[in-house]
């Protein structure tokens, strides 16, 4: 190996090590802490999902849901973090007139089968809860299209991609105000915000959501606006990163190169 090749290899290794160290720092941060870093730039998620184009009534018939039902969807792996079991508990607290019309779709792999299934059986609403398991994008699109509102009651949530996906289909989202994603995704006219994490508060939010006359076209436009801005956000981010050398600590790279050369 020539000295030039060794030096080049060392530079590449040094750059890679600096990059890995930066990544490790970011991985240890909470989402909210990451946003506060002076050299951090948040680029909102966008989506890669398309409307099915199928008739809504026919889709509801396919999934065994009446056309006049209120449908609440929660997307994500079923588990402790996503906290879907609280939706089931909140359902129990609803007045009968809301219970009679409400169907709940839990779209995602079931990681706590015994726990959530027991809760559903205990409340005797097995015929009102659809647990889909893992679904592909086409099926997920159908599920959004037959739904009336999205709900996110996670114990912790980064960005919350389902919020953007639901908005793309014109669905409002019920979500906790203390979620990290709140500041990035919230806009007036697209959300029912839950201030406290009690079952009673979630129940009230469900009632409020289905008593609100939502402007679905407005919700879609807000999400589309974010989608269209994404390209420009990336361009600005990379231009700023290059100008400010965000990712490279030149002094550290030079130091590592010199250390390597001293070893050979």
């Amino acid at each position: 190996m020539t000295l030039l090749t060794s030096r080049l290899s060392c530079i590449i290794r040094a750059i890679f090590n600096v990059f890995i160290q930066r990544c490790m720092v970011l991985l240890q941060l909470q989402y909210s802490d990451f946003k506060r870093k002076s050299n951090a730039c948040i680029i909102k998620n966008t989506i890669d999902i398309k409307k099915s184009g199928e008739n809504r009534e026919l889709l509801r018939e396919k999934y065994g849901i009446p056309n006049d039902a209120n449908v609440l969807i929660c997307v994500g792996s079923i588990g402790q973090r996503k906290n879907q079991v609280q939706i089931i508990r909140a359902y129990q607290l609803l007045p009968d007139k809301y219970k009679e019309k409400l169907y709940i779709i839990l779209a995602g792999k079931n990681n706590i089968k015994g726990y959530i299934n027991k809760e559903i059986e205990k409340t005797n609403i097995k015929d009102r809860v659809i647990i889909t398991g893992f679904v592909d994008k086409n099926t997920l699109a159908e599920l959004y299209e037959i739904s009336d509102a999205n709900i996110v009651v996670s114990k912790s949530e980064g960005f919350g991609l389902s919020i953007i996906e639901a908005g793309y289909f014109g669905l409002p989202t019920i979500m906790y105000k203390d979620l990290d994603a709140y500041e990035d995704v919230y806009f007036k006219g697209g959300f029912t915000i839950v201030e406290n994490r009690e079952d009673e508060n979630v129940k009230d939010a469900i009632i409020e959501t289905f008593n609100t006359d939502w402007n679905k076209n407005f919700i879609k436009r807000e999400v589309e606006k974010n989608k269209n801005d994404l390209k420009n956000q990336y361009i600005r981010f990379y231009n700023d990163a290059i100008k400010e050398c965000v990712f490279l600590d030149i002094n550290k790279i030079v130091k590592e190169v010199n250390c390597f050369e001293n070893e050979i």
Side-chain angles (χ1 to χ4, degrees):
M1 184 180 289
T2 66
L3 182 61
L4 178 61
T5 305
S6 297
R7 186 178 177 84
L8 180 60
S9 175
C10 181
I11 292 172
I12 293 172
R13 186 189 69 180
I15 292 173
F16 179 75
N17 286 342
V18 171
F19 173 74
I20 291 298
Q21 288 168 15
R22 293 287 178 117
C23 288
M24 292 304 294
V25 169
L26 294 178
L27 287 172
Q28 292 171 20
L29 295 175
Q30 292 292 329
Y31 184 72
S32 55
D33 293 330
F34 176 78
K35 290 190 292 184
R36 287 195 292 269
K37 294 293 180 180
S38 61
N39 65 341
C41 176
I42 303 298
I43 298 177
K44 297 180 181 180
N45 270 331
T46 188
I47 56 172
D48 181 22
I49 190 170
K50 296 180 181 178
K51 298 178 175 68
S52 70
E54 297 291 332
N55 179 278
R56 178 180 162 97
E57 291 185 5
L58 291 177
L59 283 176
R60 284 203 166 190
E61 184 179 339
K62 174 181 175 180
Y63 290 96
I65 297 175
N67 287 326
D68 62 346
N70 292 326
V71 181
L72 195 60
I73 187 170
C74 180
V75 177
S77 296
I78 299 172
Q80 298 294 338
R81 186 177 70 83
K82 290 288 187 179
N83 196 31
Q84 290 94 338
V85 71
Q86 187 175 35
I87 302 170
I88 306 303
R89 295 200 304 265
Y91 176 93
Q92 295 175 263
L93 303 176
L94 290 169
D96 287 341
K97 69 175 184 177
Y98 291 98
K99 284 183 180 178
E100 291 167 3
K101 293 195 69 175
L102 183 61
Y103 281 73
I104 300 168
I105 297 174
L106 303 180
K109 183 180 178 182
N110 192 349
N111 293 326
I112 50 170
K113 293 179 182 179
Y115 184 62
I116 198 162
N117 289 2
K118 284 179 183 177
E119 195 70 29
I120 291 170
E121 290 171 7
K122 185 170 69 178
T123 57
N124 199 29
I125 60 168
K126 193 173 181 180
D127 62 329
R128 295 304 182 94
V129 180
I130 300 170
I131 300 179
T132 66
F134 175 80
V135 294
D136 59 28
K137 290 179 182 179
N138 293 333
T139 303
L140 184 58
E142 291 183 350
L143 296 174
Y144 280 125
E145 287 175 331
I146 63 174
S147 299
D148 298 294
N150 178 45
I151 183 166
V152 178
V153 289
S154 306
K155 293 179 180 178
S156 65
E157 190 75 52
F159 184 81
L161 189 58
S162 68
I163 298 169
I164 302 300
E165 291 175 342
Y168 177 71
F169 290 89
L171 304 185
T173 290
I174 299 169
M175 70 177 291
Y176 284 124
K177 189 174 183 178
D178 64 4
L179 288 178
D180 286 330
Y182 171 81
E183 293 180 8
D184 293 311
V185 299
Y186 176 78
F187 56 87
K188 189 175 180 180
F191 293 83
T192 302
I193 298 302
V194 188
E195 298 283 348
N196 299 305
R197 287 182 167 270
E198 301 297 326
D199 296 348
E200 186 76 23
N201 298 110
V202 177
K203 178 264 293 183
D204 291 341
I206 293 172
I207 293 173
E208 180 184 343
T209 298
F210 289 112
N211 282 334
T212 300
D213 184 18
W214 300 97
N215 185 336
K216 292 195 170 187
N217 287 329
F218 169 75
I219 295 173
K220 290 177 185 177
R221 286 196 301 270
E222 286 297 305
V223 173
E224 283 291 341
K225 189 189 302 180
N226 170 61
K227 188 176 178 182
N228 294 334
D229 286 345
L230 185 68
K231 180 177 71 174
N232 291 330
Q233 287 179 323
Y234 269 112
I235 291 172
R236 287 195 299 271
F237 170 73
Y238 282 113
N239 282 339
D240 291 343
I242 292 168
K243 289 177 184 176
E244 299 174 15
C245 296
V246 170
F247 295 114
L248 300 179
D249 186 335
I250 300 302
N251 291 330
K252 189 165 186 176
I253 292 171
V254 170
K255 184 178 178 181
E256 289 210 19
V257 171
N258 290 336
C259 288
F260 180 82
E261 290 180 337
N262 290 334
E263 293 172 2
I264 60 175

